[in-house]
Amino acid sequence: MFTLGIDIGSTTSKCVILEDGKRIVTKNLVKRGTGSDGPDIAVKKSLEDAKLSMDDISCIISTGYGRNNFAQANGNKSELSCHARGAFFTDPETKTIIDIGGQDAKVIFLNENGVINNFLMNDKCAAGTGRFLDVMSGILNVDINDLGDYALKSMHPITISSTCTVFAESEVISQLSKGVDIHDLVAGICQSVASRTANLAKRGKISSKIYMSGGVALNKGVRKALSQELNDEINFNPDAQFMGALGASLLAYESLKKNLN
Ligand code: ADP
């Protein structure tokens, strides 16, 4: 039995096809999010990779910002439920999930059975989200994929004092014009995202293991700074950005099983 989970985000569309709720058959990411052709392309590519047709898929669940606008889905689930399910499946020792995506940051607290106890969210301010990193990567002309490597090469990280993306943008431009080392600037930018997220997380009861999901998890500079802020290891794997889609695919399988029983 094949199920498909699709996470339609603000910047990307991620798709995961599972076999029998256990084996990942394929996963695809398209760098176009809600309101674009990204979701359809992600599904099409996934079906092609898996050599399956739509008729082979028993259930489709959508999640993410654009989850209500995907007509092919049989249902939709919140990002919180999907990230929780995906991260717990990936590592059942996960107790705290830090999910930083393109436009929001969430901290999800799980019990030992993977059930959500509590969550905290920043969806009001771009600072502390992937958007902040995207804007800074544009100003510095450093590819988003390379920000982490730049940050790790810094010897003297700069403190970014502005709490707003727009003001931080001017601050970074001003530091650049003073000739500050670009690695130090990038490290400061990653630190700024990490400390905002750590402050959000500290409003709840953080327990180990901490698992990071969402696209910003791929940034080693943010992971290192978060680990220092929280004084704990930040676990992640290269599929961190697929946790929502994986969770949606798992929930699709579980809903089918429930209906069969
Ligand atoms: P959404 O679901 O809102 O589209 P994602 O979870 O896909 O968000 O995360 C998108 C964010 O992840 C981008 O804004 C970017 O900052 C960051 N990101 C994406 N790919 C990478 C990468 N390879 N390295 C570092 N950061 C990345």
Side-chain angles (χ1 to χ4, degrees):
M1 190 193 296
F2 297 101
T3 54
L4 187 151
I6 179 153
D7 178 2
I8 306 169
S10 58
T11 61
T12 58
S13 303
K14 287 83 59 180
C15 188
V16 170
I17 296 180
L18 275 178
E19 185 174 11
D20 296 333
K22 286 190 187 75
R23 189 177 73 86
I24 296 178
V25 180
T26 186
K27 55 184 191 298
N28 263 288
L29 180 148
V30 175
K31 288 191 176 174
R32 287 203 287 279
T34 183
S36 76
D37 54 359
D40 289 329
I41 297 173
V43 170
K44 189 168 174 278
K45 277 183 155 184
S46 300
L47 291 172
E48 278 168 13
D49 286 357
K51 299 191 174 46
L52 295 171
S53 77
M54 211 41 141
D55 291 342
D56 298 316
I57 306 292
S58 304
C59 183
I60 300 179
I61 294 288
S62 59
T63 187
Y65 191 56
R67 67 179 179 272
N68 292 316
N69 305 324
F70 191 65
Q72 297 175 72
N74 301 102
N76 67 72
K77 296 276 179 194
S78 74
E79 286 168 81
L80 294 167
S81 306
C82 292
H83 277 266
R85 192 67 198 89
F88 190 75
F89 176 84
T90 304
D91 185 344
E93 287 179 39
T94 301
K95 296 284 182 313
T96 307
I97 301 164
I98 297 178
D99 164 39
I100 315 182
Q103 67 167 16
D104 62 19
K106 307 178 196 71
V107 186
I108 310 168
F109 303 93
L110 304 183
N111 71 13
E112 59 280 4
N113 300 316
V115 175
I116 299 176
N117 271 338
N118 188 16
F119 71 90
L120 296 160
M121 176 140 71
N122 162 29
D123 59 356
K124 299 279 182 290
C125 169
T129 72
R131 176 79 190 131
F132 182 82
L133 295 164
D134 297 339
V135 168
M136 296 305 164
S137 125
I139 297 172
L140 299 175
N141 202 17
V142 174
D143 194 285
I144 193 78
N145 302 297
D146 299 331
L147 286 182
D149 286 326
Y150 271 65
L152 296 195
K153 286 190 185 131
S154 162
M155 303 301 278
H156 307 287
I158 298 289
T159 301
I160 307 290
S161 49
S162 304
T163 49
C164 158
T165 305
V166 179
F167 292 131
E169 203 174 336
S170 318
E171 191 178 336
V172 167
I173 292 169
S174 148
Q175 296 277 15
L176 262 182
S177 67
K178 284 188 209 151
V180 166
D181 184 282
I182 194 159
H183 302 96
D184 292 341
L185 261 177
V186 174
I189 288 162
C190 293
Q191 176 64 50
S192 159
V193 172
S195 52
R196 284 176 165 273
T197 311
N199 287 340
L200 179 70
K202 284 175 189 168
R203 284 165 39 200
K205 191 175 174 305
I206 305 167
S207 316
S208 306
K209 288 181 168 179
I210 304 174
Y211 184 88
M212 201 170 166
S213 66
V216 176
L218 301 174
N219 181 321
K220 321 174 188 170
V222 174
R223 290 206 310 272
K224 183 183 169 196
L226 251 181
S227 172
Q228 285 165 347
E229 289 275 344
L230 297 177
N231 199 19
D232 203 341
E233 195 178 336
I234 304 294
N235 297 278
F236 109 105
N237 73 27
D239 285 341
Q241 206 168 358
F242 288 95
M243 284 308 127
L246 172 61
S249 200
L250 284 162
L251 292 174
Y253 176 75
E254 284 156 19
S255 74
L256 285 176
K257 287 278 282 180
K258 215 193 260 173
N259 288 340
L260 286 178
N261 290 338

